[in-house]
Amino acid sequence: MEEDRKQNHNERMQRKKEVVDAAIGRAQEERGIVILITGNGKGKTTSAFGTLYRALGHGQRAGVVQFIKGTQATGEVIFLQQHPASAAVRYHAMATGFTWNTQNWDADKRAADEAWAQAAGMLADPALSLVVLDELTYMLKYNYLDTAAVLDAIRARPPLQTVIVTGRAAKPELVELADTVSEIADRKHAFKAGVKAQAGIDF
Protein backbone atom coordinates (compact mmCIF):
# COMPACT_ATOMS: atom_id res chain seq x y z
CA MET A 1 0.00 0.00 0.00
CA GLU A 2 2.80 2.41 0.92
CA GLU A 3 4.66 1.64 -2.30
CA ASP A 4 1.47 2.23 -4.31
CA ARG A 5 1.00 5.59 -2.61
CA LYS A 6 4.56 6.61 -3.41
CA GLN A 7 4.18 5.46 -7.01
CA ASN A 8 0.94 7.41 -7.43
CA HIS A 9 2.61 10.49 -5.99
CA ASN A 10 5.56 10.19 -8.34
CA GLU A 11 3.26 9.81 -11.33
CA ARG A 12 1.25 12.90 -10.33
CA MET A 13 4.45 14.91 -9.94
CA GLN A 14 5.68 13.74 -13.32
CA ARG A 15 2.44 14.83 -14.99
CA LYS A 16 2.66 18.18 -13.22
CA LYS A 17 6.26 18.61 -14.38
CA GLU A 18 5.22 17.93 -17.96
CA VAL A 19 2.53 20.60 -17.75
CA VAL A 20 4.93 23.13 -16.25
CA ASP A 21 7.66 22.33 -18.79
CA ALA A 22 5.17 22.78 -21.63
CA ALA A 23 4.09 26.18 -20.27
CA ILE A 24 7.72 27.28 -19.97
CA GLY A 25 8.31 26.15 -23.53
CA ARG A 26 5.43 28.28 -24.80
CA ALA A 27 6.53 31.42 -22.92
CA GLN A 28 9.33 32.65 -25.15
CA GLU A 29 8.40 36.32 -25.64
CA GLU A 30 10.75 38.79 -23.95
CA ARG A 31 9.28 42.19 -23.05
CA GLY A 32 8.43 44.35 -20.09
CA ILE A 33 5.00 43.84 -18.56
CA VAL A 34 2.44 45.85 -16.62
CA ILE A 35 1.64 44.49 -13.17
CA LEU A 36 -1.39 45.79 -11.29
CA ILE A 37 -1.69 45.07 -7.57
CA THR A 38 -5.10 46.17 -6.37
CA GLY A 39 -7.86 45.27 -3.91
CA ASN A 40 -8.74 46.40 -0.40
CA GLY A 41 -6.33 44.13 1.46
CA LYS A 42 -2.99 44.93 3.08
CA GLY A 43 0.26 44.40 1.19
CA LYS A 44 0.06 46.13 -2.20
CA THR A 45 2.96 48.53 -1.66
CA THR A 46 4.88 45.85 0.23
CA SER A 47 4.61 43.54 -2.76
CA ALA A 48 5.74 46.24 -5.17
CA PHE A 49 8.79 47.03 -3.06
CA GLY A 50 9.60 43.35 -2.81
CA THR A 51 9.80 43.24 -6.60
CA LEU A 52 11.85 46.44 -6.58
CA TYR A 53 14.43 44.86 -4.28
CA ARG A 54 14.41 41.75 -6.44
CA ALA A 55 15.24 43.87 -9.50
CA LEU A 56 18.01 45.67 -7.62
CA GLY A 57 19.42 42.29 -6.65
CA HIS A 58 19.87 41.58 -10.35
CA GLY A 59 21.73 44.84 -10.86
CA GLN A 60 18.84 46.61 -12.58
CA ARG A 61 17.95 50.29 -12.35
CA ALA A 62 14.50 51.38 -11.25
CA GLY A 63 12.21 54.32 -10.63
CA VAL A 64 9.61 54.82 -7.88
CA VAL A 65 6.88 57.43 -7.56
CA GLN A 66 4.73 57.28 -4.45
CA PHE A 67 1.35 58.98 -4.58
CA ILE A 68 -0.61 59.94 -1.40
CA LYS A 69 1.88 58.48 1.10
CA GLY A 70 2.16 61.67 3.14
CA THR A 71 5.16 62.82 5.15
CA GLN A 72 5.77 59.75 7.34
CA ALA A 73 8.68 57.73 5.98
CA THR A 74 7.99 54.03 5.55
CA GLY A 75 10.45 51.33 6.50
CA GLU A 76 11.01 50.23 2.92
CA VAL A 77 11.89 53.79 1.85
CA ILE A 78 14.14 54.37 4.87
CA PHE A 79 15.99 51.13 4.12
CA LEU A 80 16.31 52.01 0.45
CA GLN A 81 17.71 55.46 1.18
CA GLN A 82 20.28 53.99 3.59
CA HIS A 83 21.34 51.21 1.21
CA PRO A 84 24.05 51.64 -1.45
CA ALA A 85 21.56 50.32 -4.01
CA SER A 86 19.62 53.58 -3.70
CA ALA A 87 22.00 55.00 -6.30
CA ALA A 88 20.23 52.77 -8.83
CA VAL A 89 16.76 54.15 -7.96
CA ARG A 90 15.10 57.38 -9.04
CA TYR A 91 12.62 58.23 -6.28
CA HIS A 92 9.87 60.81 -5.87
CA ALA A 93 7.11 61.12 -3.27
CA MET A 94 4.18 63.52 -3.28
CA ALA A 95 4.80 63.93 0.47
CA THR A 96 2.58 66.82 1.56
CA GLY A 97 0.51 66.58 -1.59
CA PHE A 98 -2.51 64.28 -1.85
CA THR A 99 -3.39 62.96 1.62
CA TRP A 100 -6.63 62.34 3.45
CA ASN A 101 -6.03 65.51 5.46
CA THR A 102 -5.44 68.26 2.89
CA GLN A 103 -8.94 68.45 1.39
CA ASN A 104 -7.47 71.07 -0.93
CA TRP A 105 -8.05 70.35 -4.62
CA ASP A 106 -5.61 72.94 -5.94
CA ALA A 107 -2.74 71.82 -3.72
CA ASP A 108 -3.45 68.16 -4.41
CA LYS A 109 -3.70 68.77 -8.16
CA ARG A 110 -0.36 70.59 -8.24
CA ALA A 111 1.29 67.79 -6.28
CA ALA A 112 -0.26 65.16 -8.54
CA ASP A 113 0.93 66.95 -11.68
CA GLU A 114 4.45 67.27 -10.29
CA ALA A 115 4.54 63.60 -9.34
CA TRP A 116 3.19 62.58 -12.72
CA ALA A 117 5.86 64.66 -14.48
CA GLN A 118 8.45 62.62 -12.58
CA ALA A 119 6.67 59.38 -13.45
CA ALA A 120 6.38 60.29 -17.14
CA GLY A 121 10.12 60.92 -17.25
CA MET A 122 10.78 57.52 -15.73
CA LEU A 123 8.41 55.81 -18.17
CA ALA A 124 10.39 57.33 -21.03
CA ASP A 125 13.80 56.26 -19.69
CA PRO A 126 15.10 53.04 -21.29
CA ALA A 127 17.76 52.77 -18.57
CA LEU A 128 15.07 51.89 -16.04
CA SER A 129 14.09 48.23 -16.08
CA LEU A 130 11.32 48.74 -13.51
CA VAL A 131 9.04 51.65 -12.63
CA VAL A 132 6.81 51.47 -9.54
CA LEU A 133 3.79 53.81 -9.52
CA ASP A 134 2.62 53.33 -5.96
CA GLU A 135 -1.03 54.27 -5.23
CA LEU A 136 -1.48 55.67 -8.75
CA THR A 137 -5.03 54.30 -8.85
CA TYR A 138 -6.21 57.05 -6.48
CA MET A 139 -5.00 59.75 -8.87
CA LEU A 140 -7.19 58.23 -11.57
CA LYS A 141 -10.18 57.52 -9.33
CA TYR A 142 -10.39 61.14 -8.14
CA ASN A 143 -9.48 62.58 -11.57
CA TYR A 144 -6.31 64.32 -10.45
CA LEU A 145 -4.68 62.80 -13.52
CA ASP A 146 -6.13 62.05 -16.95
CA THR A 147 -6.58 58.30 -17.28
CA ALA A 148 -6.10 58.22 -21.05
CA ALA A 149 -2.84 60.19 -20.84
CA VAL A 150 -1.50 57.93 -18.08
CA LEU A 151 -2.33 54.75 -20.00
CA ASP A 152 -0.81 56.16 -23.19
CA ALA A 153 2.45 56.89 -21.36
CA ILE A 154 2.54 53.37 -19.95
CA ARG A 155 1.91 51.87 -23.40
CA ALA A 156 4.65 54.02 -24.96
CA ARG A 157 7.33 53.01 -22.43
CA PRO A 158 10.55 51.26 -23.59
CA PRO A 159 9.86 47.67 -24.68
CA LEU A 160 11.84 45.99 -21.89
CA GLN A 161 10.57 48.18 -19.05
CA THR A 162 8.17 46.68 -16.51
CA VAL A 163 5.68 48.87 -14.65
CA ILE A 164 4.00 48.07 -11.33
CA VAL A 165 0.88 50.03 -10.40
CA THR A 166 -0.64 49.71 -6.94
CA GLY A 167 -3.78 50.96 -5.23
CA ARG A 168 -7.42 50.24 -4.57
CA ALA A 169 -10.31 50.64 -6.98
CA ALA A 170 -8.33 50.27 -10.19
CA LYS A 171 -10.21 51.57 -13.22
CA PRO A 172 -11.35 48.94 -15.75
CA GLU A 173 -9.12 50.47 -18.43
CA LEU A 174 -6.08 49.90 -16.23
CA VAL A 175 -7.12 46.33 -15.50
CA GLU A 176 -7.50 45.74 -19.25
CA LEU A 177 -4.04 47.16 -19.97
CA ALA A 178 -2.24 45.14 -17.32
CA ASP A 179 -0.55 41.85 -18.19
CA THR A 180 -0.72 40.58 -14.61
CA VAL A 181 -3.41 41.57 -12.10
CA SER A 182 -3.30 40.54 -8.46
CA GLU A 183 -6.21 41.47 -6.22
CA ILE A 184 -5.55 41.37 -2.48
CA ALA A 185 -8.72 40.66 -0.52
CA ASP A 186 -9.48 42.21 2.86
CA ARG A 187 -10.62 39.26 4.99
CA LYS A 188 -9.37 40.57 8.36
CA HIS A 189 -7.21 43.48 9.48
CA ALA A 190 -5.82 44.08 12.96
CA PHE A 191 -6.44 47.84 12.66
CA LYS A 192 -10.18 47.23 12.45
CA ALA A 193 -9.94 45.35 15.73
CA GLY A 194 -8.33 48.38 17.37
CA VAL A 195 -4.66 47.39 17.01
CA LYS A 196 -2.46 50.43 16.43
CA ALA A 197 -0.37 50.58 13.23
CA GLN A 198 3.16 49.35 13.97
CA ALA A 199 6.53 50.42 12.60
CA GLY A 200 8.06 47.59 10.64
CA ILE A 201 4.70 45.95 10.03
CA ASP A 202 2.32 48.61 8.73
CA PHE A 203 4.78 51.33 7.68
Side-chain angles (χ1 to χ4, degrees):
M1 182 67 72
E2 180 65 16
E3 288 302 316
D4 289 343
R5 188 183 65 80
K6 291 179 180 178
Q7 180 63 29
N8 289 337
H9 171 79
N10 292 341
E11 290 174 356
R12 286 197 305 272
M13 292 300 101
Q14 178 59 35
R15 290 194 297 270
K16 186 174 184 65
K17 180 180 184 305
E18 291 170 359
V19 171
V20 171
D21 288 346
I24 292 173
R26 290 191 299 270
Q28 295 301 310
E29 183 180 3
E30 294 187 26
R31 63 173 175 85
I33 62 174
V34 177
I35 301 171
L36 172 62
I37 308 171
T38 190
N40 294 333
K42 170 180 165 56
K44 296 179 288 294
T45 295
T46 308
S47 175
F49 268 83
T51 304
L52 169 68
Y53 293 134
R54 175 177 285 176
L56 294 176
H58 286 285
Q60 298 175 7
R61 298 185 62 83
V64 178
V65 177
Q66 289 197 288
F67 299 90
I68 86 166
K69 282 303 183 186
T71 57
Q72 183 181 46
T74 60
E76 54 266 34
V77 173
I78 293 171
F79 178 82
L80 178 64
Q81 293 172 338
Q82 294 173 346
H83 196 278
S86 65
V89 180
R90 290 173 56 184
Y91 177 80
H92 178 84
M94 284 182 66
T96 55
F98 186 96
T99 70
W100 307 126
N101 298 320
T102 62
Q103 300 175 17
N104 184 325
W105 169 270
D106 291 333
D108 292 344
K109 176 61 174 161
R110 285 193 299 271
D113 287 341
E114 179 184 352
W116 176 245
Q118 295 290 326
M122 295 178 191
L123 291 169
D125 187 349
L128 300 181
S129 298
L130 175 68
V131 174
V132 176
L133 303 177
D134 187 37
E135 310 284 15
L136 174 65
T137 60
Y138 292 98
M139 300 298 100
L140 307 182
K141 177 180 179 180
Y142 294 109
N143 298 314
Y144 285 93
L145 297 175
D146 180 71
T147 298
V150 168
L151 297 185
D152 285 345
I154 293 175
R155 289 190 189 96
R157 73 192 188 282
L160 296 180
Q161 185 184 88
T162 287
V163 177
I164 301 178
V165 176
T166 73
R168 300 183 181 197
K171 285 197 169 185
E173 303 96 310
L174 183 56
V175 174
E176 178 65 25
L177 174 64
D179 297 286
T180 298
V181 179
S182 293
E183 187 165 357
I184 301 180
D186 184 21
R187 298 288 179 84
K188 294 177 69 176
H189 199 299
F191 180 74
K192 293 180 179 179
V195 180
K196 186 177 180 179
Q198 304 174 57
I201 302 298
D202 297 293
F203 59 90

Short mmCIF file of all heavy atoms in Angstrom, two decimals, residues 2-25:
data_model
loop_
_atom_site.label_atom_id
_atom_site.label_comp_id
_atom_site.label_asym_id
_atom_site.label_seq_id
_atom_site.Cartn_x
_atom_site.Cartn_y
_atom_site.Cartn_z
N GLU A 2 1.92 1.24 0.84
CA GLU A 2 2.80 2.41 0.92
C GLU A 2 3.54 2.62 -0.40
O GLU A 2 3.70 3.76 -0.86
CB GLU A 2 3.82 2.21 2.07
CG GLU A 2 4.79 3.36 2.25
CD GLU A 2 4.12 4.65 2.68
OE1 GLU A 2 2.96 4.61 3.14
OE2 GLU A 2 4.76 5.71 2.56
N GLU A 3 3.96 1.52 -1.02
CA GLU A 3 4.66 1.64 -2.30
C GLU A 3 3.72 2.17 -3.38
O GLU A 3 4.12 2.96 -4.23
CB GLU A 3 5.23 0.28 -2.71
CG GLU A 3 6.42 -0.16 -1.89
CD GLU A 3 7.56 0.84 -1.95
OE1 GLU A 3 7.85 1.34 -3.06
OE2 GLU A 3 8.13 1.14 -0.89
N ASP A 4 2.45 1.72 -3.35
CA ASP A 4 1.47 2.23 -4.31
C ASP A 4 1.26 3.73 -4.13
O ASP A 4 1.14 4.49 -5.10
CB ASP A 4 0.14 1.50 -4.14
CG ASP A 4 0.21 0.06 -4.62
OD1 ASP A 4 1.17 -0.27 -5.37
OD2 ASP A 4 -0.67 -0.74 -4.26
N ARG A 5 1.19 4.16 -2.89
CA ARG A 5 1.00 5.59 -2.61
C ARG A 5 2.17 6.41 -3.15
O ARG A 5 1.98 7.46 -3.77
CB ARG A 5 0.86 5.81 -1.10
CG ARG A 5 0.47 7.24 -0.73
CD ARG A 5 0.42 7.42 0.78
NE ARG A 5 1.73 7.26 1.37
CZ ARG A 5 2.68 8.23 1.37
NH1 ARG A 5 2.43 9.39 0.80
NH2 ARG A 5 3.84 8.00 1.94
N LYS A 6 3.38 5.91 -2.92
CA LYS A 6 4.56 6.61 -3.41
C LYS A 6 4.57 6.64 -4.94
O LYS A 6 4.92 7.66 -5.55
CB LYS A 6 5.82 5.94 -2.89
CG LYS A 6 6.04 6.10 -1.40
CD LYS A 6 7.31 5.40 -0.96
CE LYS A 6 7.54 5.56 0.54
NZ LYS A 6 8.77 4.84 0.98
N GLN A 7 4.19 5.53 -5.56
CA GLN A 7 4.18 5.46 -7.01
C GLN A 7 3.16 6.43 -7.59
O GLN A 7 3.44 7.13 -8.58
CB GLN A 7 3.86 4.04 -7.47
CG GLN A 7 3.81 3.84 -8.98
CD GLN A 7 5.15 4.10 -9.64
OE1 GLN A 7 6.21 3.92 -9.02
NE2 GLN A 7 5.12 4.57 -10.88
N ASN A 8 1.97 6.48 -6.97
CA ASN A 8 0.94 7.41 -7.43
C ASN A 8 1.41 8.86 -7.30
O ASN A 8 1.16 9.70 -8.17
CB ASN A 8 -0.35 7.21 -6.64
CG ASN A 8 -1.05 5.91 -6.99
OD1 ASN A 8 -0.84 5.36 -8.08
ND2 ASN A 8 -1.86 5.41 -6.08
N HIS A 9 2.08 9.14 -6.20
CA HIS A 9 2.61 10.49 -5.99
C HIS A 9 3.63 10.84 -7.07
O HIS A 9 3.58 11.93 -7.66
CB HIS A 9 3.26 10.58 -4.61
CG HIS A 9 4.01 11.87 -4.40
ND1 HIS A 9 3.40 13.05 -4.09
CD2 HIS A 9 5.35 12.13 -4.49
CE1 HIS A 9 4.31 14.00 -3.99
NE2 HIS A 9 5.50 13.48 -4.21
N ASN A 10 4.54 9.94 -7.33
CA ASN A 10 5.56 10.19 -8.34
C ASN A 10 4.94 10.41 -9.72
O ASN A 10 5.39 11.27 -10.48
CB ASN A 10 6.54 9.02 -8.40
CG ASN A 10 7.40 8.91 -7.15
OD1 ASN A 10 7.51 9.88 -6.39
ND2 ASN A 10 7.99 7.75 -6.92
N GLU A 11 3.92 9.66 -10.03
CA GLU A 11 3.26 9.81 -11.33
C GLU A 11 2.55 11.16 -11.43
O GLU A 11 2.58 11.81 -12.48
CB GLU A 11 2.27 8.66 -11.55
CG GLU A 11 2.96 7.33 -11.76
CD GLU A 11 1.98 6.17 -11.83
OE1 GLU A 11 0.75 6.42 -11.64
OE2 GLU A 11 2.42 5.03 -12.06
N ARG A 12 1.90 11.59 -10.34
CA ARG A 12 1.25 12.90 -10.33
C ARG A 12 2.28 14.02 -10.51
O ARG A 12 2.06 14.98 -11.25
CB ARG A 12 0.48 13.12 -9.03
CG ARG A 12 -0.82 12.33 -8.92
CD ARG A 12 -1.71 12.89 -7.82
NE ARG A 12 -1.04 12.95 -6.54
CZ ARG A 12 -1.00 11.94 -5.66
NH1 ARG A 12 -1.61 10.78 -5.94
NH2 ARG A 12 -0.38 12.09 -4.50
N MET A 13 3.40 13.89 -9.82
CA MET A 13 4.45 14.91 -9.94
C MET A 13 5.05 14.94 -11.34
O MET A 13 5.39 16.00 -11.86
CB MET A 13 5.56 14.66 -8.90
CG MET A 13 5.12 14.88 -7.46
SD MET A 13 4.55 16.57 -7.13
CE MET A 13 2.76 16.34 -7.15
N GLN A 14 5.16 13.79 -11.96
CA GLN A 14 5.68 13.74 -13.32
C GLN A 14 4.73 14.43 -14.29
O GLN A 14 5.16 15.18 -15.17
CB GLN A 14 5.90 12.29 -13.75
CG GLN A 14 6.40 12.12 -15.19
CD GLN A 14 7.72 12.82 -15.44
OE1 GLN A 14 8.58 12.87 -14.56
NE2 GLN A 14 7.88 13.38 -16.64
N ARG A 15 3.42 14.17 -14.12
CA ARG A 15 2.44 14.83 -14.99
C ARG A 15 2.46 16.34 -14.77
O ARG A 15 2.36 17.11 -15.73
CB ARG A 15 1.03 14.27 -14.72
CG ARG A 15 0.85 12.84 -15.21
CD ARG A 15 -0.62 12.45 -15.23
NE ARG A 15 -1.21 12.46 -13.90
CZ ARG A 15 -1.24 11.41 -13.09
NH1 ARG A 15 -0.69 10.25 -13.47
NH2 ARG A 15 -1.81 11.49 -11.90
N LYS A 16 2.59 16.75 -13.52
CA LYS A 16 2.66 18.18 -13.22
C LYS A 16 3.89 18.79 -13.86
O LYS A 16 3.84 19.90 -14.42
CB LYS A 16 2.68 18.40 -11.70
CG LYS A 16 2.61 19.86 -11.29
CD LYS A 16 2.49 19.98 -9.80
CE LYS A 16 2.34 21.44 -9.37
NZ LYS A 16 1.07 22.01 -9.87
N LYS A 17 5.02 18.11 -13.78
CA LYS A 17 6.26 18.61 -14.38
C LYS A 17 6.10 18.77 -15.88
O LYS A 17 6.57 19.76 -16.47
CB LYS A 17 7.42 17.67 -14.08
CG LYS A 17 8.76 18.13 -14.67
CD LYS A 17 9.86 17.16 -14.33
CE LYS A 17 11.21 17.66 -14.84
NZ LYS A 17 11.23 17.96 -16.28
N GLU A 18 5.43 17.83 -16.52
CA GLU A 18 5.22 17.93 -17.96
C GLU A 18 4.38 19.15 -18.33
O GLU A 18 4.65 19.82 -19.32
CB GLU A 18 4.56 16.64 -18.47
CG GLU A 18 5.49 15.43 -18.40
CD GLU A 18 4.75 14.13 -18.66
OE1 GLU A 18 3.52 14.18 -18.87
OE2 GLU A 18 5.41 13.07 -18.66
N VAL A 19 3.36 19.43 -17.51
CA VAL A 19 2.53 20.60 -17.75
C VAL A 19 3.33 21.88 -17.58
O VAL A 19 3.25 22.81 -18.41
CB VAL A 19 1.31 20.60 -16.80
CG1 VAL A 19 0.55 21.92 -16.89
CG2 VAL A 19 0.38 19.44 -17.14
N VAL A 20 4.12 21.94 -16.51
CA VAL A 20 4.93 23.13 -16.25
C VAL A 20 5.96 23.32 -17.35
O VAL A 20 6.17 24.43 -17.85
CB VAL A 20 5.60 23.03 -14.87
CG1 VAL A 20 6.62 24.15 -14.68
CG2 VAL A 20 4.56 23.06 -13.76
N ASP A 21 6.64 22.25 -17.74
CA ASP A 21 7.66 22.33 -18.79
C ASP A 21 7.05 22.82 -20.10
O ASP A 21 7.66 23.60 -20.83
CB ASP A 21 8.33 20.98 -19.00
CG ASP A 21 9.26 20.60 -17.85
OD1 ASP A 21 9.59 21.49 -17.04
OD2 ASP A 21 9.65 19.42 -17.76
N ALA A 22 5.84 22.35 -20.39
CA ALA A 22 5.17 22.78 -21.63
C ALA A 22 4.85 24.26 -21.58
O ALA A 22 5.00 24.99 -22.57
CB ALA A 22 3.90 21.96 -21.85
N ALA A 23 4.40 24.76 -20.42
CA ALA A 23 4.09 26.18 -20.27
C ALA A 23 5.35 27.02 -20.42
O ALA A 23 5.34 28.09 -21.06
CB ALA A 23 3.44 26.43 -18.91
N ILE A 24 6.45 26.56 -19.84
CA ILE A 24 7.72 27.28 -19.97
C ILE A 24 8.15 27.31 -21.43
O ILE A 24 8.64 28.32 -21.94
CB ILE A 24 8.80 26.62 -19.09
CG1 ILE A 24 8.46 26.81 -17.61
CG2 ILE A 24 10.18 27.19 -19.40
CD1 ILE A 24 9.36 26.07 -16.66
N GLY A 25 7.94 26.20 -22.12
CA GLY A 25 8.31 26.15 -23.53
C GLY A 25 7.53 27.12 -24.39
O GLY A 25 8.05 27.65 -25.38
#
